[in-house]
PDB file of all heavy atoms in Angstrom:
ATOM      1  N   LEU M  13     -11.144   5.554   7.943  1.00  0.00           N
ATOM      2  CA  LEU M  13     -11.623   4.680   9.074  1.00  0.00           C
ATOM      3  C   LEU M  13     -11.719   5.610  10.375  1.00  0.00           C
ATOM      4  O   LEU M  13     -12.649   5.379  11.104  1.00  0.00           O
ATOM      5  CB  LEU M  13     -10.432   3.718   9.398  1.00  0.00           C
ATOM      6  CG  LEU M  13     -10.588   2.640  10.468  1.00  0.00           C
ATOM      7  CD1 LEU M  13     -11.914   1.932  10.316  1.00  0.00           C
ATOM      8  CD2 LEU M  13      -9.334   1.813  10.639  1.00  0.00           C
ATOM      9  N   ASP M 189      21.085  28.137   6.957  1.00  0.00           N
ATOM     10  CA  ASP M 189      20.379  27.359   5.921  1.00  0.00           C
ATOM     11  C   ASP M 189      21.241  26.668   5.002  1.00  0.00           C
ATOM     12  O   ASP M 189      20.963  25.572   4.441  1.00  0.00           O
ATOM     13  CB  ASP M 189      19.511  28.315   5.113  1.00  0.00           C
ATOM     14  CG  ASP M 189      18.389  28.954   5.970  1.00  0.00           C
ATOM     15  OD1 ASP M 189      17.939  28.294   6.970  1.00  0.00           O
ATOM     16  OD2 ASP M 189      17.824  29.999   5.625  1.00  0.00           O
ATOM     17  N   ALA M 190      22.464  27.172   4.760  1.00  0.00           N
ATOM     18  CA  ALA M 190      23.396  26.521   3.834  1.00  0.00           C
ATOM     19  C   ALA M 190      23.818  25.103   4.384  1.00  0.00           C
ATOM     20  O   ALA M 190      24.170  24.269   3.616  1.00  0.00           O
ATOM     21  CB  ALA M 190      24.660  27.295   3.691  1.00  0.00           C
ATOM     22  N   ASP M 230       1.552  17.377  20.457  1.00  0.00           N
ATOM     23  CA  ASP M 230       0.599  18.336  21.101  1.00  0.00           C
ATOM     24  C   ASP M 230       1.270  19.781  21.131  1.00  0.00           C
ATOM     25  O   ASP M 230       0.492  20.709  21.470  1.00  0.00           O
ATOM     26  CB  ASP M 230       0.359  17.782  22.486  1.00  0.00           C
ATOM     27  CG  ASP M 230       1.629  17.594  23.350  1.00  0.00           C
ATOM     28  OD1 ASP M 230       2.518  16.932  22.800  1.00  0.00           O
ATOM     29  OD2 ASP M 230       1.778  18.160  24.523  1.00  0.00           O
ATOM     30  N   ARG M 242      -0.275  18.276  -0.197  1.00  0.00           N
ATOM     31  CA  ARG M 242      -1.360  18.629  -1.104  1.00  0.00           C
ATOM     32  C   ARG M 242      -2.400  17.421  -0.870  1.00  0.00           C
ATOM     33  O   ARG M 242      -3.668  17.722  -0.721  1.00  0.00           O
ATOM     34  CB  ARG M 242      -0.991  18.699  -2.522  1.00  0.00           C
ATOM     35  CG  ARG M 242      -0.223  19.858  -2.745  1.00  0.00           C
ATOM     36  CD  ARG M 242      -0.102  20.096  -4.305  1.00  0.00           C
ATOM     37  NE  ARG M 242       0.500  19.027  -4.998  1.00  0.00           N
ATOM     38  CZ  ARG M 242       1.852  18.956  -5.313  1.00  0.00           C
ATOM     39  NH1 ARG M 242       2.664  19.884  -4.786  1.00  0.00           N
ATOM     40  NH2 ARG M 242       2.335  17.851  -5.835  1.00  0.00           N
ATOM     41  N   LEU M 287     -15.523  15.810  42.468  1.00  0.00           N
ATOM     42  CA  LEU M 287     -15.702  16.659  43.649  1.00  0.00           C
ATOM     43  C   LEU M 287     -15.818  18.105  43.434  1.00  0.00           C
ATOM     44  O   LEU M 287     -16.748  18.840  43.858  1.00  0.00           O
ATOM     45  CB  LEU M 287     -14.525  16.375  44.690  1.00  0.00           C
ATOM     46  CG  LEU M 287     -14.513  17.051  45.984  1.00  0.00           C
ATOM     47  CD1 LEU M 287     -15.765  16.793  46.860  1.00  0.00           C
ATOM     48  CD2 LEU M 287     -13.157  16.888  46.724  1.00  0.00           C
ATOM     49  N   LYS M 305       4.448  11.800  42.694  1.00  0.00           N
ATOM     50  CA  LYS M 305       4.072  10.501  42.689  1.00  0.00           C
ATOM     51  C   LYS M 305       3.809   9.986  44.074  1.00  0.00           C
ATOM     52  O   LYS M 305       2.810   9.065  44.230  1.00  0.00           O
ATOM     53  CB  LYS M 305       5.164   9.575  42.049  1.00  0.00           C
ATOM     54  CG  LYS M 305       4.735   8.199  41.740  1.00  0.00           C
ATOM     55  CD  LYS M 305       5.950   7.467  41.094  1.00  0.00           C
ATOM     56  CE  LYS M 305       6.334   7.837  39.699  1.00  0.00           C
ATOM     57  NZ  LYS M 305       7.208   7.034  39.034  1.00  0.00           N
ATOM     58  N   PHE M 337     -16.265  10.108  49.809  1.00  0.00           N
ATOM     59  CA  PHE M 337     -16.738  10.468  48.541  1.00  0.00           C
ATOM     60  C   PHE M 337     -16.027   9.733  47.422  1.00  0.00           C
ATOM     61  O   PHE M 337     -16.708   9.293  46.533  1.00  0.00           O
ATOM     62  CB  PHE M 337     -16.410  12.056  48.518  1.00  0.00           C
ATOM     63  CG  PHE M 337     -16.683  12.534  47.082  1.00  0.00           C
ATOM     64  CD1 PHE M 337     -17.970  12.948  46.780  1.00  0.00           C
ATOM     65  CD2 PHE M 337     -15.662  12.626  46.139  1.00  0.00           C
ATOM     66  CE1 PHE M 337     -18.218  13.388  45.465  1.00  0.00           C
ATOM     67  CE2 PHE M 337     -15.870  13.030  44.888  1.00  0.00           C
ATOM     68  CZ  PHE M 337     -17.288  13.599  44.439  1.00  0.00           C
ATOM     69  N   CYS M 351     -13.140   4.466  29.360  1.00  0.00           N
ATOM     70  CA  CYS M 351     -13.347   5.349  28.206  1.00  0.00           C
ATOM     71  C   CYS M 351     -11.940   5.674  27.704  1.00  0.00           C
ATOM     72  O   CYS M 351     -11.704   5.698  26.431  1.00  0.00           O
ATOM     73  CB  CYS M 351     -14.257   6.613  28.438  1.00  0.00           C
ATOM     74  SG  CYS M 351     -15.932   6.216  28.571  1.00  0.00           S
ATOM     75  N   ALA M 361      -2.786   5.492  15.348  1.00  0.00           N
ATOM     76  CA  ALA M 361      -3.401   5.843  14.067  1.00  0.00           C
ATOM     77  C   ALA M 361      -3.250   7.290  13.747  1.00  0.00           C
ATOM     78  O   ALA M 361      -2.917   7.754  12.734  1.00  0.00           O
ATOM     79  CB  ALA M 361      -4.802   5.326  13.834  1.00  0.00           C
ATOM     80  N   PRO M 406      21.953   9.743  -2.078  1.00  0.00           N
ATOM     81  CA  PRO M 406      22.481   8.692  -1.440  1.00  0.00           C
ATOM     82  C   PRO M 406      21.978   7.407  -1.976  1.00  0.00           C
ATOM     83  O   PRO M 406      20.747   7.192  -2.290  1.00  0.00           O
ATOM     84  CB  PRO M 406      22.166   8.962   0.056  1.00  0.00           C
ATOM     85  CG  PRO M 406      21.891  10.339   0.137  1.00  0.00           C
ATOM     86  CD  PRO M 406      21.271  10.736  -1.162  1.00  0.00           C
TER      87      PRO M 406
END
Side-chain angles (χ1 to χ4, degrees):
L13 182 61
D189 290 342
D230 54 311
R242 290 194 300 272
L287 176 68
K305 188 181 294 187
F337 173 83
C351 284

